[in-house]
Amino acid sequence: QVRLEESGGGAVQPGGSLRLSCAASDHTFSPYVMGWFRQAPGNERAFVAAITWGGNNEYYADSVKGRFAISRDNAKITVYLEMNSLKPEDTAVYFCVADRDGRSFLAGRQAAAGYDTWGQGTQVTVSS
């Protein structure tokens, strides 16, 4: 079973930046889509961003458009989330996700049901 290992979380002041990374443990892993969800205390998990592995199509939640950027490194089987102009409402645990069998094509790129592999999560705290 492939593992997704997130890194790069931490605490930052409003307006600051962070870069999250997510590496797959299996170098032969070939997902259809990888992305990020987040969960704030008391809230459900919410879609943040996703990127297709072949076509390089990107998807973003409206709340992060223009501030966050997702990218990938095929050779390293790693996906990144560059987060800029961070706000207190961005505070959450960020989860890396992967779609191994194309289910997100039917379920929707922004649906949690579209992803069958989840990382353990990394905390991002935006506070002054």
Side-chain angles (χ1 to χ4, degrees), residues 3-86:
R3 297 187 313 276
L4 301 177
E5 300 169 353
E6 304 104 333
S7 61
V12 64
Q13 292 186 342
S17 298
L18 281 175
R19 188 192 196 207
L20 304 183
S21 300
C22 171
S25 60
D26 182 352
H27 71 280
T28 66
F29 186 54
S30 182
Y32 282 80
V33 183
M34 288 187 72
W36 297 89
F37 279 67
R38 67 186 180 185
Q39 186 170 22
N43 291 350
E44 295 183 353
R45 291 185 182 184
F47 172 79
V48 177
I51 186 167
T52 57
W53 218 246
N56 206 31
N57 295 313
E58 299 175 16
Y59 306 84
Y60 295 96
D62 288 343
S63 59
V64 306
K65 281 180 182 176
R67 300 188 299 122
F68 290 12
I70 191 169
S71 61
R72 73 187 199 290
D73 184 327
N74 286 24
K76 296 181 179 179
I77 320 296
T78 298
V79 65
Y80 304 97
L81 185 68
E82 187 75 36
M83 305 186 294
N84 299 309
S85 302
L86 282 161

